[in-house]
Amino acid sequence: LEDFDAAVEELWETDGLIIDQRMNLGGVVPFIDYGFPLLFDEDIDPLVEFHERDPDSGDYTTLSLDYVAWLDADESTYYDHPIAVLTGPKSGSAGDLCPYLLAHHARSRSFGRATNGAFGELLPVWYPYDPYVSDMSAKLTRAQMVSEAGDHLNAWEQTPDEEIWFNADDAAAGVDTVFQAALEWVQAENAQ
């Protein structure tokens, strides 16, 4: 978290940022407090609410508010340059929330494929130590995210602004097609 915060500060004078979320498998919600407040000049409150199953209800579909996540912007700063966000189907949880947050920035645009749509808070329930099944685990969705409009975001993929992915020829040549599209957009935005 501190590294991302330091990177935003170090890259402040650049012509644009490309933030790659294609393999962000998730993390903790406080990531919002590192680096992102520098990019925005207005708070986003609420960004999302976390709703959990109501333990006092016999109906497992009954949800109650657990906590609210918001962005507490640094009003003395604003990154007024293009921000390209790279997305893909391997991103989930915080990997969904980060592009969702950056979509609130007036100068952002997303590139890639739709995200996983795993807007939730997970609890591990099974991590086997058997070497034959070590690539398997089980997790329980403890809480799901709800948008400021009240929409449940779990299982809601985020479609990028520009859908683009690798092709065989580019991959074989070592060209990152998604990154190239984002870089071209940043350069075109700055040319204007």
Side-chain angles (χ1 to χ4, degrees):
L1 298 176
E2 289 84 5
D3 290 346
F4 182 73
D5 196 69
V8 169
E9 288 186 33
E10 185 175 330
L11 298 170
W12 192 257
E13 297 298 325
T14 57
D15 292 333
L17 296 175
I18 298 177
I19 301 175
D20 192 345
Q21 293 293 299
R22 292 176 288 182
M23 279 295 292
N24 183 344
L25 302 177
V28 295
V29 174
F31 81 85
I32 294 169
D33 298 332
Y34 295 84
F36 295 100
L38 299 171
L39 301 176
F40 291 83
D41 61 348
E42 293 183 2
D43 295 347
I44 304 173
D45 188 9
L47 175 62
V48 291
E49 295 178 349
F50 283 77
H51 290 215
E52 66 178 353
R53 291 191 177 107
D54 186 346
D56 297 326
S57 173
D59 179 1
Y60 72 91
T61 63
T62 303
L63 301 173
S64 60
L65 178 64
D66 185 24
Y67 65 94
V68 176
W70 67 91
L71 175 79
D72 189 12
D74 182 343
E75 295 174 7
S76 68
T77 65
Y78 178 68
Y79 190 78
D80 191 22
H81 301 288
I83 301 173
V85 183
L86 310 185
T87 63
K90 294 273 186 174
S91 58
S93 192
D96 278 303
L97 186 56
C98 181
Y100 181 79
L101 165 62
L102 287 167
H104 288 75
H105 195 285
R107 300 290 312 269
S108 75
R109 184 169 178 79
S110 56
F111 299 81
R113 283 191 173 163
T115 62
N116 186 289
F119 281 95
E121 184 176 326
L122 304 175
L123 292 176
V125 293
W126 183 60
Y127 280 105
Y129 294 102
D130 184 328
Y132 298 104
V133 292
S134 62
D135 59 344
M136 297 175 60
S137 65
K139 295 181 181 178
L140 168 72
T141 302
R142 190 197 74 75
Q144 63 175 285
M145 296 179 217
V146 177
S147 74
E148 62 271 17
D151 299 320
H152 291 273
L153 299 175
N154 211 17
W156 178 73
E157 65 185 29
Q158 295 181 84
T159 304
D161 297 311
E162 188 171 325
E163 288 194 64
I164 184 168
W165 204 243
F166 306 98
N167 62 50
D169 293 336
D170 286 347
V175 175
D176 186 334
T177 314
V178 181
F179 175 82
Q180 284 302 124
L183 182 60
E184 290 170 12
W185 172 76
V186 167
Q187 291 169 338
E189 285 289 300
N190 285 320
Q192 296 176 7

